[in-house]
Amino acid sequence: MTVNQARQPNRLTGEKSPYLLQHAFNPVDWYPWEEEAFAKAKQEEKPVFLSIGYSTCHWCHVMERESFEDPEVATLLNAHFVAVKVDREERPDIDHLYMNVCQLLTGQGGWPLTVILTPEKKPFFAGTYFPKTGQYGRPGLLTLLQNIHAEWQHHRAAIRQTSDEILTAIRQPPPAGRDELDEKTLRHGYVALKDRFDPVYGGFGQAPKFPVPHHLLYLLQYRQQYPEASDSLPMVDKTLQAMYAGGIYDHLGFGFSRYATDREWLVPHFEKMLYDNALLAIAYLEGYAATGRPLYARVAREIFTYVLRDMTSPEGGFYSAEDADSEGEEGKFYVWTPGEIKAVLGQESGERFCRWFNVTEKGNFAGANILNRIGALDPETPPDAAVTREPAAARERLFTVREKRVHPHKDDKILTAWNGLMIAALAAGARILAEPAYLEAAKAGLTFIRQKLQTADGRLLARYRDGEAAFLGYLDDYAFLIWALLEVYQASGEKAHLTLATKLQTRQDNLFWDQAGGGYYFSGEDAEELPARTKEAYDGAYPAGNSVAARNLLRLARLTGDPAFTARAHNLFQHFAGQVNLYPAGYTHLLTAFLLTLPPAHPE
């Protein structure tokens, strides 16, 4: 009998989300996000404990083990709160709203996201990960819950007033700078990236270090418009090589992890996300187009190998993510000791492989080794010129052995938005690398979405898993899918894809456009009403729906000759200009779109 079978299930057992199902046997009496939970909170006059995460989130697992599987925590939660679990990837509308609250109250965000609400869904406390008892400079969850319960019992009116004030602040437009985008905005974005660039290891900023492919794509397009920006290509070149050389890249099975915990790109946060690999594939493809460097074409091909091998459903859709943890340990699936490598390759070949991938007895991660090529003058060329063919064969042998290990959990839900990104990447790969198989995979992904993730009247849905499609599609679902259709049209020349993109754009305009203020809301006018309706242009882990939409509109204008698309794009730029001008480097995909409005650069 497993541990789960020995426990009593809670209300999450009927859900499709892998994240919610991970918590289905917690002693916490979890509810999914549904009106029953809030009705119970109103009837029993209890606050709502809202926990938001996703199935491949390492710190979500930690908080579950420490707190949500703990009877003491569960007893306190069940007695004084109504506990609600949300998968941020299924309900990004809920996540957007309450993450904005967390950032407003604490100045930072992340997952697991912990928010305390009134029964009316109004937030009055927010944070991220909390240990069971105070440590790491963080208050303990037990003490926190006890204090909030006491406050709720004795100062409820003040709490409700606070929650109203928080929502008022969330609904207010962000501070604004200059009210138009222009070449000065573009220049400031470029300079900000240049100032944050790490000349030693590539990337931007220090640790932790995120790939941020849209920064690289902006620099490449900025260079086309302004050839005198001589630092643009070297920054991209250095970053693409350094990320590949680092441990953030899986040198055996391919694909990139979410981010590096250090400046050197050595130690990744080992989870692999579909959206990261889609956007990084595009960045390497564009890097190859700009430089002709064979390494970049190879990395793009290897990303597609990983996705088509490990992240593609039999029906053609693409899975969401792979976990950082296996057997309860982060990174265990990926790391090696010298002895393990020599046992597979033999002494002599094993030693050469260890030298090539910086594998030592001391190790670089908990006594074992993350394979990497950091410090190599050329990450493609092995140190032993006589064995240039050996590393590829050795990698295949080690990969075969690694496949026998316990694999990390795979989140096999299929998200329309993230599939749109991967379809766009595959179509770009087909065009740039002249590889028809990638175009076929892209078309198969489109067919899956049309068959499984659209209602009878054509309304996009957001998530498919285990035979069920659910949740009305969000702005990202429409914008990213239109991007995909435009890429497939460009790669294939088949007008049906352009026609569908145009139809979806009209549907997007009707569902999401703010007629009063401009820009697109994240959720449609037919969506569940939340305490606030968010509108986002900040390009974070992946580009914002508004940024992608702006670029789509301008491409549609060029392809169809319809000036209405251009007018809407300019309206969008004007609407967000004030916040973009405060920090242009936070909106690099939107700036990439704005570059399309400028006349072509003069030749050098």
Side-chain angles (χ1 to χ4, degrees), residues 263-338:
R263 178 187 174 193
E264 296 86 354
W265 304 104
L266 172 61
V267 179
H269 189 52
F270 288 88
E271 63 182 320
K272 291 180 178 178
M273 312 301 294
L274 183 69
Y275 61 79
D276 282 318
N277 282 283
L279 292 165
L280 282 164
I282 294 171
Y284 277 92
L285 288 166
E286 294 296 338
Y288 172 64
T291 67
R293 194 181 291 275
L295 172 64
Y296 299 162
R298 196 188 95 201
V299 174
R301 289 182 183 276
E302 289 180 351
I303 292 172
F304 294 143
T305 295
Y306 159 66
V307 169
L308 297 175
R309 182 191 66 221
D310 294 344
M311 301 298 287
T312 305
S313 75
E315 300 158 297
F318 303 105
Y319 301 136
S320 294
E322 290 190 300
D323 210 324
D325 298 10
S326 59
E327 301 182 77
E329 296 182 26
E330 185 175 15
K332 184 175 182 179
F333 178 75
Y334 295 100
V335 297
W336 295 83
T337 65

